[in-house]
Amino acid sequence: MNRVRLFRICVWGAVVLLAGFLLVSTMLPEPQAPAEASTGTARVGGPFSLTSHEGERIDNQSLTGRPYLVFFGFTHCPEICPTTLFELTDLMSELGADAEKFEALFVTVDPERDTQALLASYMTSFDSRITALRGSSEETETTLRAFSAYAAKVPLEDGQYTMDHTTGVYLVRGDGSFGGTLDMHEPRDIRLQKLRRLAGS
Amino acid sequence: MSYSNKVAIALSLASITILSSSAASAHDFSAGDIRIGHPWSRAAPAAAPVMGAYLTLTNAGPEADTLVGGSTPLAERIEIHQMSIEDGVARMRPLPDGLEVAPGSSVALAPGGIHLMFIKPARPFAEGDRIEATLEFARAGSVRVEFVVQRNAEGKPDTATDHGGHTP
Ligand SMILES: [Cu+2]
């Protein structure tokens, strides 16, 4: 009886320990590389090819040696996309000539509605150094994959649709390595610092 | 009450009215038990096909009411949406049954959450514009409101204004 009881205590003890270990290990954040460190993989910045709102072909080859930031959005977006563009406009105006040392790219995830003409008009509201890019649905898919980003068309009841999409601003250094992301909720000084570092990369 | 007292009261009421209307950043509307606090919309990029708008609803009555929709001569229609960001992915969905406000409670429509969406604005909304609209409630009925156009939630201009590209 004592042995059975001891055995039970041991088994339950082991179960509790294991459960605790599993709980803690799932709750701990994944070990993450610091924002400034390169991932050393091709997960961000793989091959892509798109057309600018001014009709110019831009691909990862043409960006070789040049730092850039890139983010995904669409014009039927009431909040995040225009806010990101207005905030980048503000930051780039503060950076002045330093902002000429990198490219700022806004890739539409909704090429169906975001025609080149609409994008050309939309972009007049922002810093003229920001370029909008669009491609066929295949080219758009390839670009999303190049940055491990996500976008999906979501049909609505009235025959309209909306887009779910990744919101981060990716920074890619001059040597093509991933330079972390820009978070529009972090202090303005930090964002300026990150962009200055990008400009010098 | 003497005549001079009446004049004094009238004058002080008038000055209060002037003071409150000069506080441009705060404007309220009400209908029945529903109060609509500071409706505002964002300054929109050129040719923007949609624009978000925000306000606070307060229900002082004993029964729930529901914001079911709205309209404005300055856009094709107004929809009620909810947005969220999860794992870095932004999602936006319509609220087809409208937005219920429980008795004695407040609901804020604010960036990052529930918003009204102006679909196909007739022209870009520029900072300082006032957009007339009518909101529809299940109980309180139609309420005329004015959305003030701001650059951001704080209503503060930022240094990006120079690049705003608002054509006159
Ligand atoms: Cu919306």
Short mmCIF file of all heavy atoms in Angstrom, two decimals, chain A residues 94-150:
data_model
loop_
_atom_site.label_atom_id
_atom_site.label_comp_id
_atom_site.label_asym_id
_atom_site.label_seq_id
_atom_site.Cartn_x
_atom_site.Cartn_y
_atom_site.Cartn_z
N GLU A 94 12.18 64.96 -41.62
CA GLU A 94 13.13 65.22 -40.54
C GLU A 94 14.56 64.78 -40.93
O GLU A 94 15.53 65.44 -40.61
CB GLU A 94 12.67 64.49 -39.28
CG GLU A 94 13.62 64.50 -38.12
CD GLU A 94 13.42 65.69 -37.19
OE1 GLU A 94 12.28 66.20 -37.14
OE2 GLU A 94 14.40 66.09 -36.54
N LEU A 95 14.65 63.65 -41.64
CA LEU A 95 15.96 63.12 -42.03
C LEU A 95 16.62 63.95 -43.13
O LEU A 95 17.83 63.93 -43.30
CB LEU A 95 15.84 61.68 -42.51
CG LEU A 95 15.54 60.63 -41.45
CD1 LEU A 95 15.27 59.28 -42.10
CD2 LEU A 95 16.69 60.51 -40.47
N GLY A 96 15.80 64.66 -43.89
CA GLY A 96 16.32 65.49 -44.97
C GLY A 96 17.08 64.67 -46.00
O GLY A 96 16.57 63.68 -46.51
N ALA A 97 18.32 65.08 -46.27
CA ALA A 97 19.11 64.43 -47.33
C ALA A 97 19.45 62.98 -46.98
O ALA A 97 19.66 62.16 -47.88
CB ALA A 97 20.39 65.22 -47.59
N ASP A 98 19.49 62.66 -45.68
CA ASP A 98 19.76 61.27 -45.28
C ASP A 98 18.72 60.31 -45.86
O ASP A 98 19.02 59.13 -46.10
CB ASP A 98 19.76 61.14 -43.75
CG ASP A 98 21.15 61.34 -43.17
OD1 ASP A 98 22.11 61.42 -43.97
OD2 ASP A 98 21.27 61.42 -41.93
N ALA A 99 17.50 60.80 -46.06
CA ALA A 99 16.43 59.95 -46.58
C ALA A 99 16.64 59.61 -48.05
O ALA A 99 15.93 58.79 -48.62
CB ALA A 99 15.07 60.62 -46.38
N GLU A 100 17.62 60.29 -48.69
CA GLU A 100 17.92 59.95 -50.08
C GLU A 100 18.86 58.76 -50.18
O GLU A 100 19.10 58.24 -51.26
CB GLU A 100 18.54 61.16 -50.80
CG GLU A 100 17.50 61.96 -51.55
CD GLU A 100 17.55 63.44 -51.24
OE1 GLU A 100 18.62 64.03 -51.42
OE2 GLU A 100 16.52 63.99 -50.80
N LYS A 101 19.39 58.34 -49.03
CA LYS A 101 20.34 57.23 -49.03
C LYS A 101 19.66 55.87 -48.97
O LYS A 101 20.31 54.85 -48.90
CB LYS A 101 21.33 57.38 -47.87
CG LYS A 101 22.18 58.63 -48.00
CD LYS A 101 23.11 58.78 -46.82
CE LYS A 101 23.89 60.10 -46.89
NZ LYS A 101 24.31 60.52 -45.54
N PHE A 102 18.32 55.86 -48.89
CA PHE A 102 17.60 54.59 -48.95
C PHE A 102 16.33 54.75 -49.78
O PHE A 102 15.89 55.87 -50.03
CB PHE A 102 17.28 54.06 -47.54
CG PHE A 102 16.41 54.97 -46.70
CD1 PHE A 102 15.03 54.97 -46.83
CD2 PHE A 102 17.00 55.82 -45.75
CE1 PHE A 102 14.24 55.80 -46.04
CE2 PHE A 102 16.21 56.66 -44.96
CZ PHE A 102 14.83 56.65 -45.11
N GLU A 103 15.78 53.63 -50.22
CA GLU A 103 14.52 53.64 -50.94
C GLU A 103 13.40 53.35 -49.96
O GLU A 103 13.59 52.59 -49.00
CB GLU A 103 14.48 52.57 -52.04
CG GLU A 103 15.54 52.72 -53.12
CD GLU A 103 15.31 53.95 -53.97
OE1 GLU A 103 14.14 54.35 -54.16
OE2 GLU A 103 16.32 54.53 -54.44
N ALA A 104 12.24 53.96 -50.15
CA ALA A 104 11.06 53.66 -49.34
C ALA A 104 9.99 53.12 -50.27
O ALA A 104 9.57 53.79 -51.20
CB ALA A 104 10.57 54.93 -48.64
N LEU A 105 9.60 51.86 -50.04
CA LEU A 105 8.72 51.16 -50.98
C LEU A 105 7.42 50.73 -50.31
O LEU A 105 7.42 50.13 -49.23
CB LEU A 105 9.43 49.92 -51.54
CG LEU A 105 10.83 50.15 -52.14
CD1 LEU A 105 11.48 48.82 -52.49
CD2 LEU A 105 10.75 51.06 -53.36
N PHE A 106 6.31 51.04 -50.96
CA PHE A 106 4.98 50.67 -50.48
C PHE A 106 4.40 49.72 -51.52
O PHE A 106 4.12 50.12 -52.65
CB PHE A 106 4.13 51.94 -50.32
CG PHE A 106 2.64 51.72 -50.20
CD1 PHE A 106 2.11 50.90 -49.21
CD2 PHE A 106 1.76 52.38 -51.06
CE1 PHE A 106 0.73 50.74 -49.10
CE2 PHE A 106 0.38 52.22 -50.95
CZ PHE A 106 -0.13 51.39 -49.97
N VAL A 107 4.25 48.44 -51.17
CA VAL A 107 3.77 47.44 -52.13
C VAL A 107 2.27 47.21 -51.92
O VAL A 107 1.85 46.85 -50.81
CB VAL A 107 4.52 46.10 -51.95
CG1 VAL A 107 3.97 45.05 -52.92
CG2 VAL A 107 6.01 46.28 -52.13
N THR A 108 1.47 47.43 -52.96
CA THR A 108 0.04 47.16 -52.80
C THR A 108 -0.22 45.66 -52.83
O THR A 108 0.35 44.93 -53.65
CB THR A 108 -0.83 47.87 -53.85
OG1 THR A 108 -2.21 47.49 -53.61
CG2 THR A 108 -0.45 47.49 -55.28
N VAL A 109 -1.08 45.21 -51.92
CA VAL A 109 -1.50 43.81 -51.91
C VAL A 109 -2.82 43.66 -52.67
O VAL A 109 -3.40 42.59 -52.71
CB VAL A 109 -1.65 43.27 -50.46
CG1 VAL A 109 -0.30 43.27 -49.76
CG2 VAL A 109 -2.68 44.09 -49.65
N ASP A 110 -3.29 44.78 -53.26
CA ASP A 110 -4.58 44.80 -53.94
C ASP A 110 -4.43 45.40 -55.35
O ASP A 110 -5.01 46.43 -55.66
CB ASP A 110 -5.55 45.66 -53.09
CG ASP A 110 -6.98 45.67 -53.62
OD1 ASP A 110 -7.31 44.84 -54.50
OD2 ASP A 110 -7.76 46.54 -53.17
N PRO A 111 -3.60 44.73 -56.20
CA PRO A 111 -3.34 45.31 -57.53
C PRO A 111 -4.61 45.44 -58.39
O PRO A 111 -4.65 46.25 -59.31
CB PRO A 111 -2.34 44.34 -58.16
CG PRO A 111 -2.44 43.07 -57.38
CD PRO A 111 -2.90 43.45 -56.00
N GLU A 112 -5.63 44.65 -58.03
CA GLU A 112 -6.89 44.69 -58.78
C GLU A 112 -7.53 46.09 -58.72
O GLU A 112 -7.91 46.65 -59.73
CB GLU A 112 -7.81 43.64 -58.14
CG GLU A 112 -8.98 43.23 -58.96
CD GLU A 112 -9.77 42.12 -58.25
OE1 GLU A 112 -9.15 41.24 -57.60
OE2 GLU A 112 -11.02 42.16 -58.33
N ARG A 113 -7.62 46.66 -57.53
CA ARG A 113 -8.22 47.98 -57.39
C ARG A 113 -7.19 49.10 -57.41
O ARG A 113 -7.50 50.22 -57.81
CB ARG A 113 -9.04 48.05 -56.08
CG ARG A 113 -10.31 47.23 -56.14
CD ARG A 113 -11.14 47.37 -54.87
NE ARG A 113 -10.44 46.88 -53.67
CZ ARG A 113 -11.05 46.64 -52.50
NH1 ARG A 113 -12.34 46.86 -52.39
NH2 ARG A 113 -10.36 46.20 -51.48
N ASP A 114 -5.98 48.80 -56.95
CA ASP A 114 -4.94 49.83 -56.93
C ASP A 114 -4.22 49.88 -58.27
O ASP A 114 -3.12 49.33 -58.44
CB ASP A 114 -3.94 49.56 -55.79
CG ASP A 114 -4.55 49.83 -54.43
OD1 ASP A 114 -5.61 50.50 -54.38
OD2 ASP A 114 -3.99 49.37 -53.42
N THR A 115 -4.83 50.57 -59.22
CA THR A 115 -4.21 50.72 -60.53
C THR A 115 -3.01 51.67 -60.40
O THR A 115 -2.89 52.39 -59.41
CB THR A 115 -5.22 51.34 -61.51
OG1 THR A 115 -5.61 52.62 -60.98
CG2 THR A 115 -6.46 50.47 -61.65
N GLN A 116 -2.19 51.67 -61.43
CA GLN A 116 -1.03 52.57 -61.42
C GLN A 116 -1.51 54.02 -61.33
O GLN A 116 -0.91 54.84 -60.62
CB GLN A 116 -0.19 52.35 -62.67
CG GLN A 116 1.14 53.09 -62.61
CD GLN A 116 1.96 52.92 -63.88
OE1 GLN A 116 2.01 51.83 -64.44
NE2 GLN A 116 2.58 53.99 -64.33
N ALA A 117 -2.61 54.35 -62.02
CA ALA A 117 -3.12 55.72 -62.01
C ALA A 117 -3.60 56.12 -60.61
O ALA A 117 -3.31 57.23 -60.13
CB ALA A 117 -4.27 55.86 -63.02
N LEU A 118 -4.32 55.20 -59.93
CA LEU A 118 -4.80 55.51 -58.57
C LEU A 118 -3.61 55.69 -57.63
O LEU A 118 -3.56 56.64 -56.84
CB LEU A 118 -5.73 54.39 -58.07
CG LEU A 118 -6.18 54.47 -56.60
CD1 LEU A 118 -6.80 55.81 -56.26
CD2 LEU A 118 -7.16 53.35 -56.27
N LEU A 119 -2.62 54.81 -57.75
CA LEU A 119 -1.44 54.92 -56.88
C LEU A 119 -0.68 56.23 -57.14
O LEU A 119 -0.23 56.88 -56.21
CB LEU A 119 -0.51 53.72 -57.09
CG LEU A 119 -1.04 52.37 -56.56
CD1 LEU A 119 -0.12 51.23 -57.01
CD2 LEU A 119 -1.17 52.38 -55.05
N ALA A 120 -0.59 56.60 -58.42
CA ALA A 120 0.13 57.84 -58.77
C ALA A 120 -0.54 59.03 -58.10
O ALA A 120 0.12 59.92 -57.56
CB ALA A 120 0.17 58.01 -60.28
N SER A 121 -1.87 59.04 -58.09
CA SER A 121 -2.60 60.13 -57.46
C SER A 121 -2.47 60.07 -55.93
O SER A 121 -2.21 61.09 -55.27
CB SER A 121 -4.06 60.03 -57.91
OG SER A 121 -4.82 61.00 -57.26
N TYR A 122 -2.62 58.87 -55.39
CA TYR A 122 -2.54 58.64 -53.93
C TYR A 122 -1.18 59.11 -53.39
O TYR A 122 -1.10 59.76 -52.35
CB TYR A 122 -2.72 57.15 -53.70
CG TYR A 122 -2.99 56.69 -52.29
CD1 TYR A 122 -4.21 56.94 -51.67
CD2 TYR A 122 -2.03 55.96 -51.58
CE1 TYR A 122 -4.47 56.48 -50.37
CE2 TYR A 122 -2.29 55.50 -50.29
CZ TYR A 122 -3.51 55.76 -49.70
OH TYR A 122 -3.76 55.30 -48.43
N MET A 123 -0.11 58.80 -54.12
CA MET A 123 1.23 59.09 -53.63
C MET A 123 1.58 60.57 -53.64
O MET A 123 2.56 60.98 -53.01
CB MET A 123 2.28 58.29 -54.43
CG MET A 123 2.17 56.78 -54.28
SD MET A 123 1.96 56.19 -52.60
CE MET A 123 3.62 56.48 -51.94
N THR A 124 0.78 61.41 -54.32
CA THR A 124 1.06 62.85 -54.30
C THR A 124 0.89 63.43 -52.90
O THR A 124 1.35 64.54 -52.63
CB THR A 124 0.14 63.64 -55.27
OG1 THR A 124 -1.22 63.45 -54.85
CG2 THR A 124 0.30 63.19 -56.71
N SER A 125 0.22 62.69 -52.00
CA SER A 125 0.00 63.19 -50.64
C SER A 125 1.18 62.95 -49.70
O SER A 125 1.14 63.38 -48.55
CB SER A 125 -1.25 62.52 -50.04
OG SER A 125 -2.39 62.95 -50.73
N PHE A 126 2.19 62.22 -50.19
CA PHE A 126 3.28 61.82 -49.29
C PHE A 126 4.63 62.28 -49.83
O PHE A 126 4.72 62.81 -50.93
CB PHE A 126 3.27 60.30 -49.12
CG PHE A 126 1.92 59.76 -48.75
CD1 PHE A 126 1.17 59.03 -49.66
CD2 PHE A 126 1.36 60.05 -47.51
CE1 PHE A 126 -0.10 58.56 -49.33
CE2 PHE A 126 0.09 59.59 -47.18
CZ PHE A 126 -0.64 58.84 -48.09
N ASP A 127 5.67 62.06 -49.03
CA ASP A 127 7.03 62.40 -49.45
C ASP A 127 7.28 61.81 -50.85
O ASP A 127 7.04 60.62 -51.07
CB ASP A 127 8.04 61.83 -48.44
CG ASP A 127 9.44 62.40 -48.65
OD1 ASP A 127 10.01 62.18 -49.75
OD2 ASP A 127 9.95 63.05 -47.73
N SER A 128 7.78 62.65 -51.74
CA SER A 128 7.92 62.22 -53.14
C SER A 128 8.99 61.13 -53.29
O SER A 128 9.11 60.52 -54.35
CB SER A 128 8.26 63.42 -54.02
OG SER A 128 9.45 64.01 -53.53
N ARG A 129 9.76 60.89 -52.21
CA ARG A 129 10.78 59.84 -52.28
C ARG A 129 10.20 58.46 -51.94
O ARG A 129 10.92 57.46 -51.99
CB ARG A 129 11.94 60.18 -51.34
CG ARG A 129 12.68 61.44 -51.79
CD ARG A 129 13.62 61.96 -50.74
NE ARG A 129 12.91 62.49 -49.58
CZ ARG A 129 13.48 63.18 -48.59
NH1 ARG A 129 14.77 63.42 -48.65
NH2 ARG A 129 12.78 63.62 -47.57
N ILE A 130 8.91 58.40 -51.61
CA ILE A 130 8.28 57.09 -51.36
C ILE A 130 7.70 56.58 -52.68
O ILE A 130 7.02 57.32 -53.39
CB ILE A 130 7.17 57.18 -50.29
CG1 ILE A 130 7.70 57.83 -49.00
CG2 ILE A 130 6.59 55.78 -49.99
CD1 ILE A 130 6.63 58.07 -47.93
N THR A 131 7.99 55.32 -52.99
CA THR A 131 7.53 54.73 -54.25
C THR A 131 6.48 53.67 -53.97
O THR A 131 6.68 52.79 -53.12
CB THR A 131 8.72 54.06 -54.98
OG1 THR A 131 9.77 55.02 -55.12
CG2 THR A 131 8.31 53.55 -56.34
N ALA A 132 5.35 53.75 -54.68
CA ALA A 132 4.36 52.68 -54.60
C ALA A 132 4.67 51.66 -55.68
O ALA A 132 5.06 52.02 -56.79
CB ALA A 132 2.95 53.24 -54.79
N LEU A 133 4.51 50.38 -55.34
CA LEU A 133 4.80 49.31 -56.29
C LEU A 133 3.59 48.41 -56.45
O LEU A 133 2.87 48.14 -55.48
CB LEU A 133 5.98 48.47 -55.79
CG LEU A 133 7.34 49.16 -55.64
CD1 LEU A 133 8.35 48.20 -55.02
CD2 LEU A 133 7.84 49.65 -57.01
N ARG A 134 3.37 47.96 -57.69
CA ARG A 134 2.32 46.97 -57.90
C ARG A 134 2.79 45.94 -58.93
O ARG A 134 3.70 46.21 -59.72
CB ARG A 134 1.00 47.62 -58.32
CG ARG A 134 0.94 48.12 -59.76
CD ARG A 134 -0.40 48.79 -60.07
NE ARG A 134 -1.49 47.86 -60.22
CZ ARG A 134 -1.78 47.22 -61.34
NH1 ARG A 134 -1.04 47.36 -62.41
NH2 ARG A 134 -2.83 46.41 -61.40
N GLY A 135 2.13 44.79 -58.90
CA GLY A 135 2.46 43.75 -59.86
C GLY A 135 1.22 42.94 -60.18
O GLY A 135 0.14 43.21 -59.63
N SER A 136 1.37 41.97 -61.03
CA SER A 136 0.28 41.02 -61.28
C SER A 136 0.04 40.26 -59.97
O SER A 136 0.83 40.38 -59.04
CB SER A 136 0.69 40.04 -62.38
OG SER A 136 1.80 39.27 -61.92
N SER A 137 -1.03 39.47 -59.92
CA SER A 137 -1.25 38.75 -58.66
C SER A 137 -0.10 37.78 -58.39
O SER A 137 0.30 37.60 -57.24
CB SER A 137 -2.61 38.05 -58.66
OG SER A 137 -2.72 37.23 -59.78
N GLU A 138 0.48 37.23 -59.45
CA GLU A 138 1.64 36.34 -59.26
C GLU A 138 2.85 37.07 -58.72
O GLU A 138 3.52 36.62 -57.79
CB GLU A 138 2.02 35.66 -60.59
CG GLU A 138 1.34 34.33 -60.81
CD GLU A 138 1.66 33.75 -62.18
OE1 GLU A 138 2.76 34.04 -62.72
OE2 GLU A 138 0.80 33.02 -62.71
N GLU A 139 3.12 38.24 -59.34
CA GLU A 139 4.28 39.03 -58.90
C GLU A 139 4.09 39.49 -57.45
O GLU A 139 5.04 39.58 -56.68
CB GLU A 139 4.46 40.26 -59.81
CG GLU A 139 4.98 39.90 -61.20
CD GLU A 139 4.86 41.06 -62.19
OE1 GLU A 139 3.98 41.93 -62.02
OE2 GLU A 139 5.66 41.09 -63.13
N THR A 140 2.82 39.79 -57.11
CA THR A 140 2.53 40.23 -55.73
C THR A 140 2.77 39.07 -54.76
O THR A 140 3.39 39.25 -53.71
CB THR A 140 1.08 40.74 -55.64
OG1 THR A 140 0.88 41.73 -56.65
CG2 THR A 140 0.80 41.35 -54.28
N GLU A 141 2.30 37.88 -55.14
CA GLU A 141 2.52 36.68 -54.31
C GLU A 141 4.01 36.44 -54.08
O GLU A 141 4.45 36.16 -52.97
CB GLU A 141 1.92 35.45 -55.00
CG GLU A 141 0.43 35.25 -54.73
CD GLU A 141 0.12 35.15 -53.25
OE1 GLU A 141 0.87 34.44 -52.53
OE2 GLU A 141 -0.84 35.79 -52.81
N THR A 142 4.78 36.53 -55.18
CA THR A 142 6.22 36.30 -55.10
C THR A 142 6.86 37.29 -54.13
O THR A 142 7.73 36.94 -53.32
CB THR A 142 6.86 36.46 -56.50
OG1 THR A 142 6.20 35.56 -57.38
CG2 THR A 142 8.35 36.17 -56.48
N THR A 143 6.42 38.56 -54.20
CA THR A 143 6.99 39.59 -53.33
C THR A 143 6.64 39.31 -51.87
O THR A 143 7.49 39.43 -50.99
CB THR A 143 6.48 40.99 -53.76
OG1 THR A 143 6.65 41.12 -55.17
CG2 THR A 143 7.24 42.08 -53.03
N LEU A 144 5.38 38.91 -51.63
CA LEU A 144 4.99 38.57 -50.26
C LEU A 144 5.87 37.45 -49.72
O LEU A 144 6.36 37.51 -48.60
CB LEU A 144 3.51 38.15 -50.23
CG LEU A 144 2.50 39.29 -50.36
CD1 LEU A 144 1.12 38.76 -50.75
CD2 LEU A 144 2.40 40.07 -49.04
N ARG A 145 6.09 36.44 -50.57
CA ARG A 145 6.93 35.32 -50.16
C ARG A 145 8.36 35.78 -49.87
O ARG A 145 8.98 35.32 -48.92
CB ARG A 145 6.94 34.23 -51.24
CG ARG A 145 5.98 33.08 -50.95
CD ARG A 145 6.34 31.83 -51.76
NE ARG A 145 6.54 32.11 -53.18
CZ ARG A 145 5.55 32.18 -54.08
NH1 ARG A 145 4.31 32.00 -53.70
NH2 ARG A 145 5.81 32.42 -55.35
N ALA A 146 8.84 36.73 -50.69
CA ALA A 146 10.21 37.21 -50.53
C ALA A 146 10.44 37.85 -49.15
O ALA A 146 11.56 37.92 -48.68
CB ALA A 146 10.54 38.22 -51.63
N PHE A 147 9.36 38.33 -48.53
CA PHE A 147 9.49 38.97 -47.22
C PHE A 147 8.78 38.17 -46.12
O PHE A 147 8.56 38.69 -45.03
CB PHE A 147 8.96 40.41 -47.28
CG PHE A 147 9.82 41.28 -48.16
CD1 PHE A 147 9.51 41.44 -49.51
CD2 PHE A 147 10.96 41.88 -47.65
CE1 PHE A 147 10.33 42.21 -50.33
CE2 PHE A 147 11.77 42.65 -48.46
CZ PHE A 147 11.46 42.81 -49.81
N SER A 148 8.40 36.94 -46.43
CA SER A 148 7.64 36.13 -45.48
C SER A 148 6.44 36.90 -44.96
O SER A 148 6.10 36.83 -43.77
CB SER A 148 8.51 35.69 -44.30
OG SER A 148 9.61 34.97 -44.76
N ALA A 149 5.83 37.70 -45.83
CA ALA A 149 4.67 38.50 -45.43
C ALA A 149 3.39 37.80 -45.88
O ALA A 149 3.42 36.87 -46.69
CB ALA A 149 4.75 39.89 -46.05
N TYR A 150 2.27 38.26 -45.34
CA TYR A 150 1.00 37.60 -45.59
C TYR A 150 -0.04 38.60 -46.09
O TYR A 150 -0.12 39.73 -45.61
CB TYR A 150 0.50 36.98 -44.28
CG TYR A 150 -0.91 36.43 -44.31
CD1 TYR A 150 -1.17 35.16 -44.80
CD2 TYR A 150 -1.98 37.21 -43.84
CE1 TYR A 150 -2.46 34.66 -44.82
CE2 TYR A 150 -3.28 36.71 -43.86
CZ TYR A 150 -3.52 35.43 -44.36
OH TYR A 150 -4.79 34.94 -44.38
#
